[in-house]
Amino acid sequence: PLVAALILAFIGIWLRVKMEGATKQQIADTLQTILRANTEALRSWSVTMKSDAENVAEDERVLELVAGLLQQAKSSPLVQATLLMSPQLSALRAHLKPVLERRGFTGFVVLDTNFMVLASARDQLVGMQNPPGYAEQWTPCLAGKVLVTRPFPSVALLPDAKGNLRAGVPTMFAVAPVRSADGPV
């Protein structure tokens, strides 16, 4: 009986180790499959966001309104007040509102080549010079590149997961250059 008990214990331990190893391998394979699927979905989403950003940046109405905002910013020493009162800002917000709602975006920002905010869905950002984290993320856009930024903490007050407004909410941007009629960004 003692030998039989030892044999049964050995077989039980051996089966448990084998089953545990097989289960761990199955879980690892499943996690790898999920990772590959999520990576591909993120790539596909990124391509779509880049395409959307590029389409908005090439929209004739957007080009016209951004050119007007740039002129407004250059023509006044009170840049923020001038931009906030400009008809181009309200027209741009109205023009982009359906695009933002359709995609579930919470806002937009238009910067000049010195990273001053010409337009935004949020008044507190308009006229801000070089918002923290933006220049580093968007510099490739000045060279004409369309991109989706990595997540970074927001400088604007945004709703968090609980709906409370706070700064530092993870933020991403789909960025595309807006080109003037003669070609430069």
Side-chain angles (χ1 to χ4, degrees):
L2 190 56
V3 173
L6 284 174
I7 292 173
L8 282 176
F10 176 75
I11 291 173
I13 292 171
W14 179 77
L15 281 174
R16 182 172 185 256
V17 168
K18 286 292 189 186
M19 292 298 288
E20 190 174 297
T23 303
K24 283 182 180 180
Q25 185 59 47
Q26 185 179 13
I27 291 170
D29 292 345
T30 301
L31 289 174
Q32 283 297 320
T33 301
I34 291 169
L35 177 62
R36 284 191 294 276
N38 285 345
T39 301
E40 188 54 41
L42 186 58
R43 277 194 193 103
S44 177
W45 174 84
S46 179
V47 167
T48 301
M49 293 303 102
K50 287 177 186 178
S51 176
D52 285 353
E54 196 168 31
N55 288 338
V56 169
E58 293 173 352
D59 181 281
E60 290 296 323
R61 183 72 175 139
V62 170
L63 294 171
E64 173 189 322
L65 293 170
V66 169
L69 286 165
L70 192 54
Q71 282 302 115
Q72 292 280 334
K74 289 179 180 178
S75 69
S76 173
L78 301 172
V79 176
Q80 184 179 32
T82 302
L83 290 172
L84 286 171
M85 299 300 290
S86 73
Q88 291 92 346
L89 178 59
S90 58
L92 185 61
R93 286 175 173 171
H95 184 71
L96 293 178
K97 185 177 181 181
V99 174
L100 298 173
E101 287 175 351
R102 185 171 54 249
R103 284 291 183 193
F105 294 154
T106 59
F108 71 93
V109 177
V110 177
L111 300 168
D112 68 7
T113 55
N114 297 316
F115 296 104
M116 183 184 70
V117 179
L118 297 175
S120 173
R122 290 171 174 64
D123 286 347
Q124 73 262 30
L125 293 179
V126 175
M128 184 183 280
Q129 184 64 46
N130 199 16
Y134 288 18
E136 301 85 34
Q137 298 274 347
W138 298 349
T139 300
C141 189
L142 293 177
K145 186 176 179 183
V146 179
L147 59 115
V148 173
T149 66
R150 292 180 179 199
F152 63 96
S154 67
V155 288
L157 296 175
L158 297 175
D160 63 13
K162 296 178 182 175
N164 301 320
L165 289 179
R166 66 177 184 85
V169 174
T171 304
M172 292 177 75
F173 284 93
V175 184
V178 176
R179 296 184 180 279
S180 64
D182 53 346
V185 174

